[in-house]
Amino acid sequence: MRIMKKIKYFTSDEISCPCCGFMNINTTSLYKLDLLRESLGLPLIVNSACRCKFHNEKVGGSSNSSHLCSMDRESFAFDIKVTDDSMRFQVLRKAIDLGFHRIGIYSNFIHLDDDLRKRPCVWYGK
C-alpha cells in the first residue's frame, strides 16, 4: 500500500487541468511545491500545473511539455505567479534548494519542474 502525505496548501482545483479537471501529478513534484509554499511563508498562486493534451495545445505548450498529463503520463511542472523582483528571487532560491532543476523565468511567473527525463536548465521567456 502506498502512503500519501497530505498536501497542505493546494487544492485539486488549483493544480488540475482547467478544461477537464484531470490530474496526474508526480507525487515528489507536488510535495516539493507544498514545501516551497511552506518555506516561503507566502501564498502561491499556481497559474498552470496539469494540462491534458487538448489544453496544452490550446495554450501553446510544447508537445513534450512537463505540464502534460494523461492516464499514463505524470505532470512535473508548475507555473507560479510572481508579483515583483523580491518574490521572484525568493521563489527561485527556495525552488533550487528543494530540487526543482528546470526553471523558466518570465515577467509575471516562474516555471518550475523536476522532470528527470529532461536535462537541468534555466531559461528566460517572454
Side-chain angles (χ1 to χ4, degrees):
M1 172 187 246
R2 187 172 166 186
I3 299 173
M4 300 284 291
K5 292 180 186 175
K6 183 176 172 147
I7 299 304
K8 188 174 179 179
Y9 296 103
F10 300 95
T11 66
S12 59
D13 287 344
E14 293 175 280
I15 55 179
S16 61
C17 181
C19 78
C20 64
F22 185 77
M23 182 173 67
N24 185 9
I25 298 179
N26 177 272
T27 305
T28 301
S29 302
L30 188 52
Y31 293 154
K32 286 179 185 179
L33 178 68
D34 215 43
L35 287 171
L36 177 66
R37 162 59 180 92
E38 186 162 292
S39 65
L40 289 170
L42 300 169
L44 295 179
I45 296 171
V46 178
N47 292 337
S48 184
C50 281
R51 297 180 193 157
C52 71
K53 184 177 179 180
F54 172 78
H55 186 71
N56 190 61
E57 289 171 0
K58 182 179 174 184
V59 299
S62 71
S63 62
N64 70 341
S65 171
S66 293
H67 286 282
L68 273 171
C69 64
S70 64
M71 292 297 275
D72 59 349
R73 180 182 174 136
E74 292 178 314
S75 170
F76 295 86
F78 309 97
D79 292 345
I80 306 298
K81 180 179 179 177
V82 291
T83 56
D84 57 36
D85 292 339
S86 176
M87 183 180 184
R88 186 177 294 106
F89 175 78
Q90 290 177 64
V91 169
L92 286 169
R93 182 181 62 195
K94 292 289 185 182
I96 291 168
D97 288 346
L98 289 169
F100 285 105
H101 67 271
R102 296 178 39 79
I103 299 171
I105 302 168
Y106 296 81
S107 61
N108 60 353
F109 72 95
I110 294 177
H111 169 97
L112 302 173
D113 82 61
D114 64 345
D115 190 340
L116 296 175
R117 300 170 298 182
K118 299 179 179 180
R119 66 178 175 76
C121 64
V122 175
W123 67 90
Y124 181 78
K126 294 181 182 182

